Amino acid sequence: MPNAFAYLMLMIWPVACVVMFRRMGIERAIIWAILGGYLLLPPRAVFDLPLVPDFNKTSIPNLCALACCLWVAKRRVPIWPESRVMKVLLFLFLAGTIPTVLTNTDPILFYSVFDAEPVSFVTGGLPGLRIIDVLSVGSQQAITLIPFVLGRAFLSSQTGQRELLLALLVGGLVYSLPALLEIRLSPQINIWVYGFFQHDFGQMMRQGGFRPIVFLPHGLWMAFFFMTSAAAAAVLFRMADRKSRPRLLAATGYLFCVLILCKSLGPLAYGIAVVPAILLAAPKVQIRIAVVFAGIAVLYPVLRDYGLVPLDRILGWAEAIHPDRAQSLGFRFQNEELLLERAHEKWMFGWGGWGRNLVHDLTTGEIISIPDGEWIIVFGTFGWLGYLSKMGLLAVPLFLLLRHARHDRPTRTVAALALILAITLIDMLVNAILTPYTWLIAGAVLGYTESARRQEAKDDSHLRPKAGRPGLAKPLIG
């Protein structure tokens, strides 16, 4: 159980956000209000109030960042994107919770049947959703979108995107110190500070050592954060002047070494792919790679459903690396099969919350499936409508960016952020790793494409010939 200090940290974070917004520029304040909360606040500690979403390390920073933008910085925060496709996706993401609730008002009961007599007894059950849950679920969706909205509004410029990359770099460098301590001593910091361990300790043991976790939900989240930090350091190195380049190159190498020490194969493979691409490839090439990754992520459920994903070959590759990795991946695939079959029963709007999307023993009600990938959790909970709207909000900005890149030269900052966003979409196929700073990145990419489109329209208007005044004709020559 979290100690009193854990709840005190949640309560004082709004004060910290007000201080940041008064002393920093709005871009930096938004980033650190959200990213700082993600890195520092206690996991699993929550204020659970009736009829409203949980107040935890995700929702509190999101709400505080929005409130400070409105009332401390006194800035207008536009909500609706300019693209029609994005408007539809945003609307479906928020309003799609209504049919999910309305189609799941029936409880799910578990029975014990006796063969000797035609009698069955209810041994347990899951509650049906109430109409009033529309407010709670819809509010949770809206809170989730706050970083996306703020990133689009305030991080679309190269300055804002550079601040985001710099924050990822600084956060990685600072967080590496407790991470290295846990690699050496074992994951203990969350216990020392907040009084509990947030996950299964056995999963933090690997290769005769330990994987760090600090204040994040899992060691995989920690490794993935160091991957994004190394990528941020790499792009800042590419953009730096001659004086700063040696330090940024050293930071890139150092963060990559910490990533290796995290002993997580997936994030390490992403780092091997992303960091060299940032260092060697042109921005347009990076964006093309990002779009390919995004396309794979969005189409994966369809390919998976029709048996077009070569699972045996993927498991063979994992087996060649290490038998334990193949066993872990095979376990995920088996659970995906169970959850996918369950999701098909309510494929359009999903099963809703309360664990209704999971597979249970029909007699005891015991959960017999473990969801890992973000995609199967969203698909089972909100159906195709929820999946397409959520993945669309994250992936469509990359396709819009590709369309812009065909006509103009994109910046290195937006290309690197696009690559980080795309690799996150790939990882969401196997892990529920969608974080608040991922939404910030997606919003920043979308805001950049909208700003570029407005600039293109402005330039075209200057080139377009002006119509003559009525009643006057140009003289003919010849």
Side-chain angles (χ1 to χ4, degrees):
M1 289 292 294
N3 57 24
F5 183 68
Y7 293 101
L8 178 63
M9 281 293 292
L10 293 178
M11 289 188 289
I12 66 174
W13 194 252
V15 179
C17 290
V18 171
V19 173
M20 284 188 279
F21 271 83
R22 288 182 173 176
R23 296 188 176 183
M24 300 177 179
I26 189 167
E27 297 94 348
R28 185 170 295 183
I30 289 171
I31 294 166
W32 281 110
I34 294 173
L35 181 62
Y38 172 73
L39 295 177
L40 298 178
L41 293 181
R44 296 177 58 181
V46 59
F47 293 112
D48 187 7
L49 303 178
L51 303 180
V52 296
D54 294 340
F55 291 100
N56 53 29
K57 71 178 293 175
T58 299
S59 58
I60 290 176
N62 289 358
L63 289 169
C64 290
L66 176 61
C68 288
C69 283
L70 294 173
W71 294 307
V72 178
K74 299 187 184 303
R75 301 289 291 272
R76 177 177 171 270
V77 181
I79 297 176
W80 293 102
E82 297 177 6
S83 166
R84 291 181 181 178
V85 174
M86 294 299 295
K87 285 180 180 177
V88 171
L89 291 171
L90 183 59
F91 174 79
L92 293 177
F93 184 80
L94 297 174
T97 57
I98 298 175
T100 295
V101 172
L102 296 181
T103 56
N104 286 282
T105 56
D106 54 312
I108 299 175
L109 302 179
F110 307 111
Y111 296 92
S112 179
V113 180
F114 293 90
D115 295 333
E117 301 178 10
V119 178
S120 62
F121 295 92
V122 177
T123 58
L126 299 173
L129 302 181
R130 303 163 296 172
I131 302 300
I132 199 168
D133 288 327
V134 170
L135 177 63
S136 176
V137 179
S139 300
Q140 183 62 56
Q141 295 287 82
I143 292 172
T144 299
L145 275 183
I146 288 175
F148 179 79
V149 171
L150 296 180
R152 170 182 169 266
F154 300 106
L155 303 181
S156 61
S157 66
Q158 186 168 1
T159 300
Q161 292 170 5
R162 192 180 186 282
E163 285 288 346
L164 182 52
L165 291 166
L166 184 61
L168 291 171
L169 167 59
V170 173
L173 292 174
V174 173
Y175 226 56
S176 67
L177 301 179
L180 291 173
L181 181 64
E182 288 195 338
I183 290 170
R184 180 66 181 86
L185 300 179
S186 79
Q188 298 289 333
I189 293 178
N190 201 81
I191 300 175
W192 297 339
V193 177
Y194 294 129
F196 71 101
F197 190 72
Q198 63 267 48
H199 209 277
D200 179 9
F201 192 86
Q203 292 192 23
M204 301 304 108
M205 301 173 64
R206 181 165 292 178
Q207 300 174 12
F210 300 100
R211 297 196 290 180
I213 187 171
V214 192
F215 303 130
L216 299 187
H218 192 279
L220 285 169
W221 273 246
M222 171 68 76
F224 196 88
F225 176 69
F226 282 122
M227 186 278 297
T228 59
S229 297
V235 67
L236 291 173
F237 163 76
R238 287 297 304 268
M239 298 170 58
D241 55 30
R242 182 175 297 181
K243 182 178 180 181
S244 302
R245 286 171 71 88
R247 288 179 295 176
L248 289 168
L249 182 61
T252 305
Y254 168 75
L255 289 169
F256 203 90
C257 289
V258 176
L259 171 60
I260 295 172
L261 293 174
C262 286
K263 305 178 183 71
S264 294
L265 179 61
L268 178 58
Y270 303 148
I272 293 173
V274 169
V275 173
I278 291 174
L279 290 174
L280 302 175
K284 288 187 178 183
V285 176
Q286 296 176 40
I287 292 171
R288 294 190 189 105
I289 295 172
V291 168
V292 171
F293 285 161
I296 294 172
V298 172
L299 294 177
Y300 177 82
V302 178
L303 301 175
R304 185 80 164 85
D305 204 19
Y306 284 94
L308 299 177
V309 178
L311 301 181
D312 293 337
R313 183 178 298 178
I314 294 173
L315 289 174
W317 294 339
E319 179 75 26
I321 296 173
H322 198 282
D324 289 346
R325 303 287 67 76
Q327 182 181 3
S328 175
L329 194 58
F331 180 77
R332 292 169 189 262
F333 288 156
Q334 292 173 8
N335 278 274
E336 273 186 9
E337 292 286 351
L338 294 173
L339 293 165
L340 198 56
E341 184 177 352
R342 173 72 172 170
H344 280 161
E345 297 178 27
K346 292 195 175 184
W347 62 274
M348 179 56 75
F349 303 123
W351 286 94
W354 307 107
R356 296 164 59 92
N357 63 310
L358 304 180
V359 180
H360 298 258
D361 185 278
L362 297 179
T363 301
T364 65
E366 180 183 359
I367 296 175
I368 58 177
S369 63
I370 300 176
D372 284 309
E374 179 77 19
W375 79 271
I376 194 63
I377 296 173
V378 176
F379 184 39
T381 305
F382 296 107
W384 272 115
L385 186 66
Y387 172 81
L388 291 176
S389 62
K390 190 170 193 175
M391 293 296 287
L393 287 172
L394 294 167
V396 169
L398 298 175
F399 291 90
L400 295 176
L401 180 61
L402 177 63
R403 187 173 66 179
H404 161 70
R406 291 173 180 172
H407 307 290
D408 199 359
R409 183 179 180 181
T411 63
R412 288 196 178 276
T413 54
V414 76
L417 290 175
L419 207 50
I420 293 172
L421 175 58
I423 209 68
T424 305
L425 294 176
I426 290 291
D427 196 63
M428 284 167 56
L429 301 179
V430 292
N431 296 304
I433 204 165
L434 184 57
T435 65
Y437 72 82
T438 303
W439 284 109
L440 266 181
I441 292 172
V445 173
L446 177 61
Y448 174 88
T449 63
E450 292 178 344
S451 299
R453 185 177 180 182
R454 288 194 298 269
Q455 185 61 44
E456 289 174 5
K458 183 178 178 181
D459 293 341
D460 290 343
S461 66
H462 287 308
L463 296 175
R464 198 176 298 124
K466 296 181 179 179
R469 288 184 295 173
L472 295 179
K474 296 179 73 174
L476 295 177
I477 301 177

